[in-house]
Amino acid sequence: MKVSFGVRVLSMLSALTPGLAFAEWNLNFTPASTLLGAEIQAVHDLVMWIIVVISIVVFGAMFWSILKHRKSVGHKAANFHENTTIEIIWTVIPIVILVAMAFPATRLLLATRDSSASDITIKATGYQWRWGYEYLDEGVKFYSTLATPRSQIDGVTEKTSTYLLEVDNPVVVPVGKKIRILTTANDVIHSWAVPGLAVKQDAIPGFIRDIAFKAETVGTYRGQCSELCGKEHGFMPIVVEVVSEEDYQSWIQAKLTVAGAPSFDPNKSYSVTELVAAGEQVYNANCVACHQAGGVGMPPTFPAIKGGKIATGSIQGHLDIILNGSAKNPMMAAWGPILSDMDLAAVIAYQRNGINSTGDFLQPADIAAARSE
Amino acid sequence: MEAAHDHNHDHHEPTGIMRYVTTTNHKDIGSMYLWFSFMMFLVGGVMALVIRAELFQPGLQVVEPEFFNQMTTLHGLIMVFGAIMPAFVGFANWQIPMMIGAPDMAFPRMNNWSFWLLPPAGILLMGSLLAPGGAGGVGWTMYAPLTIQQGMGMDMMIFAIHILGMSSIMGSINIITTILNMRAPGMTMMKMPLFVWTWLITAYLLVASMPVLAGAVTMTLTDRHFGTHFFNAAGGGDPVLYQHIFWFFGHPEVYIIAIPAFGVISEVIPTFSRKPLFGYASMVYATGSIAILSFLVWAHHMYTVGMPVEAQLYYMFATMLIAIPTGVKVFNWVATMWKGSMSFETPMLFAQGFLFLFTIGGFTGIVLAVTPIDIQLHDTYYVVAHFHYVMVAGALFAAFAGVYYWLPKWIGKMYDERLGKIHFWLSLTFFNVTFFVQHFLGLAGMPRRIPDYALQFADWNMVSSIGAFGFGLSQVFFLYVLLKAIRSGEKAPEMPWEGATTLEWTHLPTPAPYHSFETPPDLRS
């Protein structure tokens, strides 16, 4: 009753709200693409049916006595207050039910924790706030960052169907292969979770954990970080594209080619205009969540870049804090391992000449030199 | 019945505000606990509404993500430590001496201090919002190493928890000593009202578990400021160690909140069924078993940290065991109602609401006990729904039942029955609109503690937010019902509930005098 009333109220309201064009009244699990996921959902259904039967008995007795054993219908109170037989019965029956549930649960748990004999091993590293992936045998490495533009989050532009569940670089895996994910983290605890693949594993700094899945169908599976990891916890999704073996091989080749040939010329001298234009993109993808549009920041945790003493001070100091992170403020991550020389040169140029106007900037070659020091 | 002596004028006690600052009277202190917890309940409730307002629609509309995290954190801490726990200590203060025939609590001055520690702790918790960088945005579980990154608001929260822990431990020692030493002649342990039994067991849980929490937050504090590395892998520590310590406290904490609620319900249901509690002895044993088991299942909150599969199996089996004593309690309550002569005044309505919804919370607990299913639902809204069924429809509804039940004894006036019933039906309806739909969100995979969400979660979130605002307004209405009863309630009859059998109803006038049972009643017969 309540739901159908809610549905009516909501359908009226949703007509007024543009964001709900893709809304769904989901009542159950996301359909699983793995056999284990399907089994987990089957055991869940079994447990739910046991619960339905128990509720019919317990709530049946409760509502029967509410209706029949009330003073207003003239029912006189009995005076019994114990019955050893029935008390033993209603202790033993739950034990039997629980033992019956424990068997499928145990079998299933042992199966889900088996990550041996995997075909592909991928290391997933949680960062505040993106995922880094490394295909250990293939040598492919990349970062995966939320692709939803800030304007959709702020409601300036219309939200698309994959709102908050889209990334720039998805994980690509072949169908029908057992994939082992090693999880770890760089800063705080994150959790690598994809409901459609029935996996969730915390990523713990300083430790490696693992989990495995084998997708049976080609498709795109979307998940989110599932352990509170700070401010942008809700904005670091996980996207796994399950493709055919051939598509997977060509994707690996393409990734290796890109990695071998950087998209910038490390020895070229770029103009400040080129660097600022590129740097704005880098800033909006990586810095804007904390330092905000236009570099106004959110003091004191996230200092302003506009007029800030780092972005207007010595350019070497500026480079150092971006490359290595801040010793004083743990919220400022080290971007050296994440961004390329070009990206770093560009974002420094943007912060100094786009947001501020110091006039000085660095070339990718300067960054490379600073890295090798 | 004893004659109603008002001893106030004999003692020249301070009046006005000083009466409450210096009081050692269990009734004054009980009232202060209850009012404090109600104020904190409203504060925590406003924070919940900030959360639900932001989640009304996808996108960021109302607050920034950082402030959102601070709201979820403070909402949890304030509701658990500021609202629900002090509310039941308030009940304990008022009721335990009257129910066992004692004149007051065993340590009246310590009782005063236990209460007066609470306001500074509450101020520290709320004041942390004003610290540079705001309160800690870490969730009420305060997992390391996220806590390392927070500003000084985090330190204020840690100190608040230390103070609240001291208050709880002292309150518990007082309760244990009172129950063990101050029962009237003839009030044997197995004749004690079940509410007294549940508090005795809860007090032991508190004494055993609060120091563990104090240890966990102290280690967080030294990691933050004094260069230790308890939870830092780079220094040889382990972030998961924090979770083990926290949940070794945290799981008993669930029962610290639930068990006194069981006690209130075990008083209300027999009274309004006009029939003795079914299976008194098995209720006592079931409560004791739950308390012991609560120390053996903590890591079922941590199935996704990657512990060995053998440990996951152990925690799954141990967790399933809890269903047995909990089931016994539910069956006993239903059997108490069975063939009774029930009437449905407001306390009984809330007790029935408790019974129905707490049982649903127990059912989802069985779902979550199964490790592979729990891993799917871990850190989703399914868990949020599950524990609000246990904490709100469980503990809070029991507290409402207790307030309506004992209010005539406390103030000598009746609440408005019609308004009380309206409060019940509003609470019941809006509670389910808010939280039942969160099961669906969790099954569909919506993570907890996110300020913005994907579009497929939009519909149920909107329903849930509408329910939350309705539930919040219903509690403002409760304040009105209370104030109306206090200011202009009808005079309560000597025995407002014909089925009540405990000492405060049978041996004391209504309202209870300021000092009751100065000579203990003789119950040997």
Side-chain angles (χ1 to χ4, degrees), chain B residues 30-338:
Chain B
S31 300
M32 290 196 293
Y33 263 109
L34 287 166
W35 277 114
F36 175 82
S37 68
F38 190 67
M39 282 190 288
M40 295 304 271
F41 171 64
L42 294 181
V43 171
V46 168
M47 290 172 174
L49 295 185
V50 172
I51 294 168
R52 285 311 329 168
E54 179 54 58
L55 295 175
F56 183 68
Q57 278 185 2
L60 291 177
Q61 289 91 15
V62 183
V63 293
E64 288 297 316
E66 228 191 344
F67 189 73
F68 181 91
N69 289 346
Q70 296 172 17
M71 286 290 106
T72 57
T73 307
L74 284 177
H75 165 72
L77 288 172
I78 286 179
M79 287 305 201
V80 168
F81 294 102
I84 294 289
M85 285 169 68
F88 283 105
V89 182
F91 281 110
N93 258 295
W94 259 102
Q95 290 307 127
I96 288 174
M98 293 201 293
M99 291 174 108
I100 62 172
D104 204 307
M105 299 293 282
F107 305 116
R109 285 162 195 268
M110 187 164 87
N111 203 13
N112 172 291
W113 197 33
S114 307
F115 170 76
W116 281 109
L117 282 172
L118 293 181
I123 291 166
L124 271 177
L125 271 184
M126 291 184 285
S128 66
L129 279 173
L130 305 174
V138 291
W140 85 282
T141 49
M142 301 175 288
Y143 277 8
L146 186 59
T147 42
I148 307 297
Q149 295 181 343
Q150 310 298 308
M152 74 176 272
M154 191 69 223
D155 302 313
M156 295 170 74
M157 289 158 66
I158 288 171
F159 288 133
I161 288 167
H162 282 137
I163 297 172
L164 290 162
M166 286 165 65
S167 163
S168 287
I169 291 170
M170 284 191 285
S172 303
I173 291 171
N174 217 337
I175 287 167
I176 293 170
T177 315
T178 307
I179 296 173
L180 293 185
N181 293 295
M182 296 176 67
R183 280 169 288 128
M187 173 67 78
T188 60
M189 292 297 275
M190 291 309 276
K191 279 188 185 159
M192 293 195 309
L194 211 77
F195 177 75
V196 179
W197 255 116
T198 56
W199 246 115
L200 181 64
I201 292 166
T202 303
Y204 275 104
L205 285 182
L206 275 166
V207 170
S209 70
M210 290 306 288
V212 180
L213 175 66
V217 296
T218 307
M219 287 153 98
T220 301
L221 188 76
T222 61
D223 268 13
R224 280 169 57 77
H225 297 294
F226 304 115
T228 57
H229 296 107
F230 293 112
F231 310 130
N232 178 359
D238 183 351
V240 178
L241 173 66
Y242 173 85
Q243 299 184 23
H244 281 292
I245 303 173
F246 179 84
W247 287 113
F248 188 82
F249 147 81
H251 199 76
E253 170 67 21
V254 173
Y255 292 98
I256 287 165
I257 288 172
I259 289 178
F262 297 162
V264 173
I265 298 304
S266 301
E267 301 302 328
V268 171
I269 287 183
T271 297
F272 294 90
S273 302
R274 294 168 181 78
K275 188 164 158 284
L277 182 68
F278 188 89
Y280 172 90
S282 70
M283 282 301 227
V284 172
Y285 300 140
T287 312
S289 318
I290 292 175
I292 291 165
L293 284 173
S294 76
F295 281 106
L296 305 175
V297 297
W298 73 90
H300 72 207
H301 298 269
M302 307 161 48
Y303 282 144
T304 61
V305 300
M307 69 182 98
V309 69
E310 294 82 1
Q312 288 184 328
L313 283 173
Y314 159 72
Y315 284 110
M316 175 167 75
F317 300 145
T319 304
M320 284 177 165
L321 279 183
I322 295 186
I324 296 162
T326 312
V328 165
K329 297 190 82 90
V330 170
F331 300 144
N332 279 340
W333 287 321
V334 174
T336 306
M337 290 156 56
W338 189 256

Side-chain angles (χ1 to χ4, degrees), chain A residues 17 23 26 71 75 163 200, chain B residues 57 340 342 378 452 459 498:
Chain A
T17 31
N26 282 326
K71 197 187 176 196
H75 195 272
Y163 176 69
K200 184 179 288 153
Chain B
Q57 278 185 2
M342 281 190 280
H378 177 84
D452 192 6
D459 304 338
E498 61 174 331

Side-chain angles (χ1 to χ4, degrees), chain A residues 2-3 6-7 9-10 13-14 17 19-20 22-30 40 43-44 47-48 51 54-55 58-59 61-66 69-72 75-83 86-87 90-91 94-95 98 101-102 105-106 108-110 112-113 128 150 152-154 159-161 163-165 187-189 191 194-195 198-202 204-207 209 211 224-235 292 298 300-302 330-331, chain B residues 56-61 64-66 69 132-133 137-139 143-146 148-149 233 237-240 243 273-280 282 304-309 312-313 316-317 320-321 323-324 328 330-332 334-335 337-344 352 355-356 359-360 363-364 366-367 370-380 382 429 432-433 440 443-460 462-463 466 498:
Chain A
K2 261 170 224 126
V3 171
V7 171
V9 172
L10 262 293
L13 282 169
S14 63
T17 31
L20 293 180
F22 298 94
E24 302 157 39
W25 298 96
N26 282 326
L27 297 178
N28 209 335
F29 282 113
T30 312
I40 291 170
V43 172
H44 174 262
V47 175
M48 284 305 287
I51 287 172
I54 301 173
S55 0
V58 175
F59 294 146
M62 178 180 159
F63 284 108
W64 180 266
S65 63
I66 286 176
H69 306 149
R70 52 200 295 156
K71 197 187 176 196
S72 57
H75 195 272
K76 292 276 180 290
N79 200 36
F80 63 86
H81 54 86
E82 55 188 9
N83 182 329
I86 196 159
E87 289 180 57
W90 71 36
T91 310
I95 294 176
L98 289 170
M101 267 170 56
T106 303
L108 191 54
L109 177 59
L110 293 174
T112 56
R113 286 303 301 277
Q128 285 172 317
R150 187 75 204 178
Q152 286 189 21
I153 296 170
D154 290 333
K159 296 172 177 54
T160 54
S161 63
Y163 176 69
L164 294 189
L165 297 177
D187 31 50
V188 300
I189 300 176
S191 186
V194 183
V199 287
K200 184 179 288 153
Q201 176 59 55
D202 287 2
I204 298 161
F207 294 85
R209 307 292 197 216
I211 197 162
Q224 288 173 274
C225 177
S226 293
E227 183 60 63
L228 179 62
C229 57
K231 190 165 105 51
E232 302 291 303
H233 164 54
F235 306 92
Q292 304 291 304
M298 295 168 72
T301 316
F302 307 112
M331 297 305 290
Chain B
F56 183 68
Q57 278 185 2
L60 291 177
Q61 289 91 15
E64 288 297 316
E66 228 191 344
N69 289 346
V138 291
Y143 277 8
L146 186 59
I148 307 297
Q149 295 181 343
D238 183 351
V240 178
Q243 299 184 23
S273 302
R274 294 168 181 78
K275 188 164 158 284
L277 182 68
F278 188 89
Y280 172 90
S282 70
T304 61
V305 300
M307 69 182 98
V309 69
Q312 288 184 328
L313 283 173
M316 175 167 75
F317 300 145
M320 284 177 165
L321 279 183
I324 296 162
V328 165
V330 170
F331 300 144
N332 279 340
V334 174
M337 290 156 56
W338 189 256
K339 291 197 184 298
S341 175
M342 281 190 280
S343 57
F344 295 92
Q352 298 298 317
L355 190 52
F356 186 62
T359 304
I360 292 178
F363 286 147
T364 52
I366 295 175
V367 173
V370 181
T371 310
I373 302 176
D374 176 86
I375 290 172
Q376 303 309 306
L377 299 173
H378 177 84
D379 251 309
T380 70
Y382 193 91
T429 308
N432 284 296
V433 174
F440 304 143
L443 286 166
M446 177 171 164
R448 300 166 68 170
R449 296 166 169 169
I450 55 173
D452 192 6
Y453 47 82
L455 298 184
Q456 76 261 32
F457 306 129
D459 304 338
W460 292 129
M462 191 178 275
V463 174
I466 293 169
E498 61 174 331

Side-chain angles (χ1 to χ4, degrees), chain A residues 30 61 218 299 352 369:
Chain A
T30 312
V218 168
R352 299 182 81 83

